[in-house]
Amino acid sequence: MKARKYFFTSESVSEGHPDKLCDQISDGVLDDVLRQDPYGRVACETYVTMGLLIVGGEITTTAYVDIQKLARNIIKEIGYTHPKYGFDYHTCAIVNTINSQSPDIAQGVNKGGAGDQGLMTGYACRETKELMPLPIMMAHKLVLRMTEVRRQGVLKYLGPDGKSQVSVEYHDGSPKRIDSVVLACQHTEDILDKTGERITKKACQEIIDVIAKPILKGYIDKDTKYYVNETGKFVIGGPQSDTGMTGRKIIVDTYGGVAAPGGGAFSGKDPTKVDRSGAYMNRYIAKNIVAAGLADKCLLQSAYVIGRADPLAIMVDTYGTAKIPEAAFEKLIRDNFELTPQGMIKSLDLLRPIYRKTACYGHFGRTEPEFSWESIDKAATLKKQAAKL
């Protein structure tokens, strides 16, 4: 029988993308609160446009956060350090509109309940060593490489803003090759051709050779197509060219569209908000199920209501790849994982200032030690218990 062939595409964006700039500032505020007050309540939103950044939301804490200083430092670290990039940490206006958390919400959270209603998902699969879908992992690695070569001065003309997109060819559900790669790299005018409307062919090939090929080797072939700055040039980028807001990149932040993303964004929210802690716990559970060999793919959904601790429901879907009866998963999960907000916070050690790192290059599939939800420390236990079923 002929293999069923299809293509799946995921994208990612760099740390200088306006939405990601906002995510980093919101999570930077959260980290600063948690350093001083681990039990502070934070729901921080950021908005950016040309020359202006607004930080708002609801925060209740004993900590003092210098919003102006924090935001300017993050903008500087990202690389918006000169007017040539269209946004400059020296001169941009910053407005602080933060208020305190509603006492109506606090009275439910204080007793251990969820900070909001909602549905959260977690996913894992065998496509990569990170147990993540291949398209989103490659897209993240491309924009991370873009940032690295800019910071290291390898490609001196690159600016902070950038995007990637990867289309993977699948045969019967397994990734076989990368069919196309899209790179949008902000740059200075140094690499424009004589018309001033396009980057030179030399620069285009250099971007492919230095950024794309080292990351994608093993998956690319002679038929892989590359699209670099397809409008011709990308000099005007960042907040000068596009507004940004916290929480607008939930597909980038999660599984690249392969799995349902859940009901809410992550950045700027402390872990009493199950939008964040529940999504992290569900990834942790799904990854351990796959790592234990109990399924090749696993999607876990949980649902919560504000003020109550236990989830209203959990659902497991292994897409027909389960190695044990599907009905057995819920008991395994409830026996081995804490699903209340306080239990998830304790299990994953979430009251730490770790969140700005999560705001770029994905919340999942990471190897840094701060990403406790990427541990597979429960896999052996799950495998042992499943063998007795």
Side-chain angles (χ1 to χ4, degrees):
M1 182 183 294
K2 189 175 181 180
R4 174 178 170 253
K5 184 173 78 171
Y6 63 91
F7 300 87
F8 195 92
T9 303
S10 295
E11 69 164 349
S12 187
V13 298
S14 74
E15 63 183 26
H17 186 280
D19 291 333
K20 279 294 149 198
L21 185 154
C22 291
D23 284 344
Q24 289 173 87
I25 289 174
S26 293
D27 272 337
V29 171
L30 172 60
D31 282 351
D32 211 19
V33 169
L34 292 178
R35 283 188 193 95
Q36 304 171 63
D37 176 14
Y39 299 99
R41 301 282 165 71
V42 179
C44 182
E45 308 287 345
T46 304
Y47 167 83
V48 70
T49 188
M50 185 167 59
L52 173 66
L53 185 134
I54 301 173
V55 182
E58 298 77 46
I59 298 178
T60 300
T61 181
T62 59
Y64 170 71
V65 180
D66 187 335
I67 297 293
Q68 287 269 343
K69 182 178 179 181
L70 181 144
R72 290 191 195 280
N73 283 342
I74 290 175
I75 295 166
K76 179 183 178 182
E77 289 170 17
I78 289 170
Y80 287 111
T81 58
H82 193 280
K84 67 183 178 182
Y85 298 126
F87 195 73
D88 185 356
Y89 83 99
H90 293 100
T91 58
C92 66
I94 297 176
V95 178
N96 179 359
T97 63
I98 290 172
N99 297 301
S100 60
Q101 185 185 58
S102 163
D104 296 347
I105 295 174
Q107 69 179 5
V109 179
N110 290 343
K111 64 182 183 181
D116 202 353
Q117 70 177 51
L119 58 103
M120 298 83 220
T121 62
Y123 180 79
C125 64
R126 293 197 172 279
E127 290 182 18
T128 64
K129 61 183 176 58
E130 297 91 352
L131 301 185
M132 285 283 287
L134 180 65
I136 189 64
M137 287 308 301
M138 294 295 101
H140 284 325
K141 289 178 180 181
L142 284 173
V143 288
L144 179 58
R145 175 69 177 166
M146 201 183 294
T147 297
E148 288 172 347
V149 300
R150 171 176 63 87
R151 290 185 178 277
Q152 294 167 6
V154 178
L155 299 181
K156 298 180 185 297
Y157 48 77
L158 291 182
D161 199 356
K163 300 177 74 172
S164 69
Q165 184 173 286
V166 177
S167 297
V168 176
E169 181 179 322
Y170 285 79
H171 293 185
D172 289 337
S174 297
K176 293 300 179 185
R177 57 181 292 273
I178 289 175
D179 184 67
S180 67
V181 181
V182 178
L183 293 171
C185 305
Q186 186 187 15
H187 59 86
T188 59
E189 294 183 347
D190 307 34
I191 58 170
L192 295 178
D193 63 16
K194 292 180 181 179
T195 70
E197 296 299 321
R198 301 194 66 84
I199 63 172
T200 63
K201 290 182 179 180
K202 176 179 180 294
C204 182
Q205 191 60 50
E206 191 173 45
I207 288 169
I208 293 169
D209 291 341
V210 174
I211 294 174
K213 289 185 176 180
I215 296 298
L216 305 177
K217 58 185 178 183
Y219 293 101
I220 52 178
D221 56 32
K222 62 181 177 59
D223 296 319
T224 299
K225 300 174 283 293
Y226 299 92
Y227 303 93
V228 178
N229 290 10
E230 279 294 293
T231 66
K233 62 179 180 178
F234 185 9
V235 174
I236 299 173
Q240 184 184 19
S241 65
D242 193 11
T243 59
M245 293 183 71
T246 300
R248 286 208 299 201
K249 287 291 180 283
I250 59 173
I251 300 299
V252 171
D253 286 344
T254 53
Y255 305 101
V258 170
F266 306 145
S267 288
K269 297 177 182 177
D270 76 78
T272 67
K273 281 77 170 171
V274 286
D275 277 343
R276 186 163 219 162
S277 53
Y280 291 175
M281 177 56 76
N282 286 356
R283 162 64 177 171
Y284 178 51
I285 296 169
K287 187 175 183 181
N288 275 273
I289 286 172
V290 172
L294 305 185
D296 295 330
K297 299 179 182 179
C298 181
L299 173 71
L300 175 65
Q301 183 196 72
S302 58
Y304 290 83
V305 62
I306 191 167
R308 296 185 66 90
D310 290 316
L312 300 180
I314 62 173
M315 182 278 293
V316 179
D317 184 0
T318 63
Y319 306 87
T321 69
K323 308 301 190 280
I324 63 173
E326 291 259 352
F329 280 108
E330 182 169 346
K331 185 175 188 308
L332 277 177
I333 291 167
R334 291 190 180 275
D335 286 349
N336 290 281
F337 298 94
E338 294 283 351
L339 299 177
T340 65
Q342 289 184 346
M344 295 187 293
I345 288 168
K346 182 178 179 181
S347 297
L348 299 178
D349 195 14
L350 296 180
L351 295 179
R352 296 172 292 152
I354 58 173
Y355 295 103
R356 187 184 160 196
K357 277 192 175 182
T358 70
C360 291
Y361 316 117
H363 291 248
F364 309 120
R366 305 285 289 274
T367 58
E368 298 94 320
E370 292 88 350
F371 291 71
S372 53
W373 49 93
E374 291 298 312
S375 169
I376 53 171
D377 58 338
K378 294 291 186 88
T381 299
L382 291 176
K383 186 174 183 177
K384 184 176 179 181
Q385 291 180 10
K388 298 177 181 179
L389 294 173

